[in-house]
Amino acid sequence: VWVFDDGYSLEMFAAASSGCTDAEAVVVDQSAEVRITLRPLDSQPGGRPDGGGACTAGMTPKPVTVRLDQPLGDRMIRLGIGR
């Protein structure tokens, strides 16, 4: 996890379900620790959204960023996987 913007922003990689889809990170708690759920976004059947051909079928790492209400400081980051 990369911390920037004076501790207000966190960037990490999440797994998308294919090369044509995306992934997201959602902050689910940011009190005593920062808990973030990473999840792939659903893909559209039939290939690339821009009509450019086939998509890779494997999990693809995608960079995702979350913004915190307060700087991270000394809080621990806990990552979870969701759907």
Side-chain angles (χ1 to χ4, degrees), residues 1-5 9-13 63-66 72 77:
V1 175
W2 292 270
V3 180
F4 60 100
D5 192 23
S9 296
L10 308 175
E11 185 173 56
M12 66 229 62
F13 283 93
V64 290
T65 304
V66 295
L72 177 63
I77 301 168

Side-chain angles (χ1 to χ4, degrees), residues 4-80:
F4 60 100
D5 192 23
D6 293 324
Y8 282 93
S9 296
L10 308 175
E11 185 173 56
M12 66 229 62
F13 283 93
S17 57
S18 78
C20 293
T21 60
D22 218 342
E24 69 178 353
V26 178
V27 177
V28 293
D29 182 31
Q30 52 181 311
S31 52
E33 62 186 19
V34 175
R35 292 187 320 137
I36 300 169
T37 298
L38 306 172
R39 59 181 169 222
L41 297 177
D42 292 331
S43 62
Q44 298 295 324
R48 297 173 56 94
D50 60 7
C55 297
T56 59
M59 299 298 275
T60 305
K62 302 280 184 150
V64 290
T65 304
V66 295
R67 176 98 176 142
L68 303 177
D69 294 336
Q70 297 293 320
L72 177 63
D74 293 333
R75 293 181 289 172
M76 181 176 287
I77 301 168
R78 296 199 185 269
L79 300 177

